[in-house]
Amino acid sequence: MRAALQITRLETRALTLREIRARDARAFAAYMLRNDYQKHVAVRYASAADVQGFVARSLRRQMSPNRTLYHLAAELKATGHVIGDGFIQLNRPQSAEIGWGVHPELWRRGFATEIGQALVAIGFERLGCSRMWAKAFAENEASIRIMEKIGMRRERFAQDQYVGNGLRTDLYIYSMTADDYFDAAY
């Protein structure tokens, strides 16, 4: 039996990304339950108990030898407060979807871009992905700008897509390859 891969801490300019801990549930609930946050995500939690369940599932996945989902907490280096999260979902061999979220009170400060850049680095440098992709609801202009800032290119526009929980919406899908990542200027 192989050991589960753990993602060690990764620091950006202002953030530390790390594996989720049980005590993160309260900080996640502080933004994941907000309407302004939920309008941009497919997975919408209704209560603090739902968020606690998400954290419990994430903790169990951390121990799986066949782990395909890495969900990380993003905390401010200056304070240690959790202000966001990110995920890497391995799907086809060497391909992964990434996504991020930040507390709405901290939008437009570059934190989501830092999370996105860190997820791309983890995917290509630690997980050995050859392609990474992300999606955003068509009206989520901020996430579309972030995908472009982190070096992704628009792959396609998908209309009326089922994204879960009975929700259908238009999406933009962006991607990048390992060659794009490793050939990019610093």
Side-chain angles (χ1 to χ4, degrees), residues 2 4 9 25 27 29 39 59 85 114-116 119 122 135 138 142 151 159 171 179 184:
R2 68 180 193 175
R9 300 168 56 92
K39 74 179 183 178
L59 293 172
D85 66 283
E114 287 188 41
I115 294 169
L119 295 172
I122 292 167
K135 64 181 179 272
Q159 291 182 297
L171 300 171
D179 287 342

Side-chain angles (χ1 to χ4, degrees), residues 45-186:
Y45 301 115
S47 68
D50 290 345
V51 175
Q52 183 65 48
F54 152 72
V55 169
R57 289 187 301 278
S58 295
L59 293 172
R60 285 192 300 275
R61 273 190 219 100
Q62 290 174 8
M63 298 302 117
S64 172
N66 299 314
R67 187 174 184 187
T68 59
L69 180 58
Y70 297 85
H71 211 116
L72 306 172
E75 59 184 30
L76 287 173
K77 286 196 302 193
T79 64
H81 292 110
V82 172
I83 57 95
D85 66 283
F87 73 85
I88 302 171
Q89 171 69 59
L90 301 173
N91 33 51
R92 292 176 288 197
Q94 295 186 305
S95 178
E97 177 184 5
I98 62 171
W100 48 82
V102 172
H103 194 300
E105 292 176 6
L106 299 171
W107 287 352
R108 294 177 183 79
R109 296 187 189 182
F111 298 132
T113 301
E114 287 188 41
I115 294 169
Q117 290 168 328
L119 295 172
V120 166
I122 292 167
F124 288 128
E125 296 178 21
R126 297 186 188 177
L127 299 175
C129 292
S130 60
R131 177 180 175 272
M132 298 189 73
W133 61 280
K135 64 181 179 272
F137 294 178
E139 70 276 1
N140 189 348
E141 294 175 10
S143 278
I144 292 166
R145 280 192 309 275
I146 292 164
M147 291 185 290
E148 292 170 349
K149 282 182 194 176
I150 66 175
M152 292 184 154
R153 293 189 202 121
R154 185 175 295 175
E155 192 173 284
R156 67 186 169 103
F157 176 71
Q159 291 182 297
D160 194 36
Q161 297 296 300
Y162 178 74
V163 293
N165 298 326
L167 179 64
R168 299 186 74 82
T169 190
D170 296 343
L171 300 171
Y172 283 104
I173 299 168
Y174 279 65
S175 67
M176 70 187 311
T177 66
D179 287 342
D180 296 332
Y181 174 75
F182 289 110
D183 290 344
Y186 281 88

